[in-house]
């Protein structure tokens, strides 16, 4: 199974950018990189995904290393509502499975 | 467009019993996946259904089984419950296999 490695926890000050790293050294050429976040007592929520190129959407940006062995989720201005566990996930080429790691718990300091 | 809904929200069962958890997928979504999330852990993939057929399975024993109905709603059945089955069970639906997944709020199962 493809695996991801993330720091257990990170802190950020409110309204500052946050860079959440993820290592996925065993990624295969057709695995997509997905990011989800999970707020307390809720199911995971989609944030962003990509394959090779950097991606931007209204929530965040995803920077993917050239060798695809790592990626970084960028929240441009952290808010208190961004406090959550962020999961970096590999989706296999069949699209049939998501491999969650233990995630990074983000604390946003007012 | 309604979201993914799961029922019940909480459930307490005794070891050895059987349980059925239900999931209504988001409108227009034909792919449903189930996950088990133990306390403090990330979700673990159980299995996935696409158009009423199981098309992916994680490392879970056969006593974890499921169904998907013609309206794409789904059930997760667990037989012979064990204490370690206590977890949050999450259902996620997708429009098709290569799109983002939408998760329900989960069912909190406690086995005593």
């Amino acid at each position: 199974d493809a695996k991801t490695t993330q720091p257990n926890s990170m802190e950020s000050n409110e309204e500052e950018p946050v860079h959440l790293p993820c290592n996925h050294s065993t990624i295969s050429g057709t695995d997509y990189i997905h990011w989800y976040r999970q707020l307390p007592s809720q199911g995971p929520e989609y944030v962003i995904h990509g394959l090779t190129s950097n991606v931007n959407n209204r929530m965040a940006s995803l920077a993917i290393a050239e060798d695809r062995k790592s990626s970084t989720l960028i929240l441009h201005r952290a808010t208190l509502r961004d406090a959550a566990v962020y999961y970096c996930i590999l989706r296999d080429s069949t699209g049939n499975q998501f491999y969650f790691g233990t995630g990074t718990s983000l604390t946003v300091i007012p | 467009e309604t979201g993914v809904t799961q029922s019940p929200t909480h459930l307490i069962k005794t070891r050895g019993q059987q349980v059925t958890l239900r999931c209504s997928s988001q409108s227009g979504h034909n792919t449903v996946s189930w996950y088990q999330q133990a306390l403090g852990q990330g979700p673990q993939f159980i299995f996935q259904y696409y158009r009423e057929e199981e098309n992916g399975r994680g490392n879970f024993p056969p006593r974890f089984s499921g169904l998907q109905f013609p309206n794409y709603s789904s059930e997760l059945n667990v037989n012979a419950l064990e204490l370690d089955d206590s977890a949050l069970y999450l259902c996620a639906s997708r429009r098709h296999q290569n799109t983002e997944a939408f998760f329900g709020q989960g069912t909190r199962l406690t086995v005593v």
Side-chain angles (χ1 to χ4, degrees), chain A residues 1 32 34 36 38 41-46 49 85 87 89 91-103, chain B residues 33 35 37 40-45 47-48 55-58 88 90 94 97-106:
Chain A
D1 294 352
Y32 280 79
H34 284 242
Y36 282 71
Q38 188 172 23
S41 302
Q42 294 190 24
E45 172 190 31
Y46 170 81
H49 78 281
V85 178
Y87 292 101
I89 302 156
R91 195 199 72 209
D92 72 344
S93 56
T94 66
N96 292 345
Q97 297 198 22
F98 283 89
Y99 301 97
F100 282 79
T102 52
Chain B
S33 305
Y35 295 81
Q37 186 173 24
Q41 302 295 315
Q44 299 296 310
F45 175 75
F47 45 57
Q48 175 173 282
N55 72 342
R57 190 176 182 92
L88 180 68
L90 294 161
R94 287 183 276 162
Q97 295 185 88
N98 293 317
T99 58
E100 69 195 70
F102 292 81
F103 283 81
Q105 301 276 58

Side-chain angles (χ1 to χ4, degrees), chain A:
Chain A
D1 294 352
K3 295 290 192 290
T4 62
T5 305
Q6 301 174 252
N8 288 333
S9 62
M10 292 184 65
E11 286 186 353
S12 173
N13 292 319
E14 194 176 10
E15 299 196 0
E16 289 189 355
V18 184
H19 290 231
L20 298 166
C22 179
N23 288 318
H24 28 77
S25 58
T26 61
I27 191 171
S28 72
T30 54
D31 284 345
Y32 280 79
I33 302 158
H34 284 242
W35 284 81
Y36 282 71
R37 70 181 185 182
Q38 188 172 23
L39 279 65
S41 302
Q42 294 190 24
E45 172 190 31
Y46 170 81
V47 178
I48 200 167
H49 78 281
L51 184 61
T52 56
S53 303
N54 294 344
V55 184
N56 300 293
N57 67 19
R58 63 175 179 81
M59 290 182 71
S61 294
L62 176 60
I64 300 173
E66 193 170 335
D67 63 5
R68 298 203 337 119
K69 293 184 184 300
S70 65
S71 61
T72 302
L73 178 69
I74 302 164
L75 306 179
H76 295 288
R77 290 183 64 198
T79 70
L80 297 179
R81 291 181 299 174
D82 291 324
V85 178
Y86 286 78
Y87 292 101
C88 168
I89 302 156
L90 298 186
R91 195 199 72 209
D92 72 344
S93 56
T94 66
N96 292 345
Q97 297 198 22
F98 283 89
Y99 301 97
F100 282 79
T102 52
T104 297
S105 179
L106 176 65
T107 300
V108 180
I109 301 167

